[in-house]
Amino acid sequence: AGVSLAGNFHVLAPDDTKPNLDILKEPADVAYLMEAVATITPKLVIIDTLRKIHSGDENDSGSMKKVFDILNSIFKDCAVLFVHHTHKLRPPPGMKATHRPIPSDAARGSSFTTGEVDATYLLYNNALSTDCRFDESTHYAAERDPLTKLWVFPEGSRLIKLEEECRQLFAAQT
């Protein structure tokens, strides 16, 4: 199912035969995803974006419960990362973004969505903020690499260097 890249990476992308998925109205779409999961047996599934796989009202908790009931049955043995949009977070024209929104408060739609997931991450205003059930909420400075346009985390690089230095010091001890 889908396109296999580098052996362990598969992409199920819309094509001419299945341009849209609607797990609420099309049992065949649920079967398609279940078959893909059974064939590929993924450890991680990325849904980009949550809004594009159902026709429900994302502001209605009843609709979102139905969506997540279906998704939880399809991906019961996988970790799932849902890409979901925020409501408008831009400051007024001419003003700088100075506040740090709470990730779960920034999510668009029903609060059922953020209540159903284990963690919410928000990349905004050169920072990655987390709102997690399994760990404390955190905030990481982020920069966009000018060449690759990917987000990098300078603090993470510093911590990796410190950890390596610590390992070397420990290894040098008798």
Side-chain angles (χ1 to χ4, degrees):
V3 176
S4 179
L5 305 171
N8 291 328
F9 185 80
H10 299 269
V11 177
L12 297 180
D15 59 23
D16 292 337
T17 60
K18 192 161 273 305
N20 299 306
L21 293 175
D22 188 348
I23 62 170
L24 288 177
K25 290 185 178 175
E26 297 295 332
D29 290 347
V30 174
Y32 167 75
L33 292 172
M34 290 183 103
E35 182 182 335
V37 168
T39 302
I40 298 168
T41 61
K43 301 285 186 239
L44 171 67
V45 172
I46 301 170
I47 305 288
D48 185 7
T49 61
L50 178 60
R51 183 67 191 115
K52 291 182 180 179
I53 62 167
H54 68 88
S55 60
D57 179 355
E58 66 182 3
N59 294 310
D60 178 61
S61 64
S63 286
M64 294 313 296
K65 181 183 183 321
K66 289 176 188 172
V67 167
F68 275 96
D69 285 349
I70 294 167
L71 293 172
N72 289 337
S73 70
I74 295 169
F75 302 114
K76 63 181 173 268
D77 297 323
C78 315
V80 182
L81 184 136
F82 297 102
V83 176
H84 187 56
H85 294 132
T86 64
H87 57 77
K88 302 284 186 222
L89 295 175
R90 297 178 188 250
M95 305 271 305
K96 282 190 169 190
T98 56
H99 74 293
R100 185 183 317 160
I102 297 169
S104 55
D105 290 345
R108 192 169 77 181
S110 170
S111 62
F112 184 89
T113 302
T114 55
E116 185 68 8
V117 298
D118 293 324
T120 306
Y121 299 86
L122 175 65
L123 186 56
Y124 175 73
N125 195 24
N126 291 333
L128 176 70
S129 300
T130 68
D131 200 359
C132 303
R133 291 178 200 255
F134 53 84
D135 199 1
E136 64 184 40
S137 296
T138 51
H139 183 75
Y140 304 98
E143 301 171 350
R144 199 141 193 206
D145 183 281
L147 182 62
T148 65
K149 304 298 184 209
L150 296 174
W151 288 95
V152 293
F153 303 93
E155 184 67 13
S157 300
R158 187 182 75 78
L159 292 174
I160 289 169
K161 288 177 188 173
L162 286 173
E163 180 183 0
E164 184 56 34
E165 289 173 14
C166 184
R167 288 179 185 278
Q168 288 173 357
L169 287 171
F170 184 77
Q173 293 180 356
T174 54

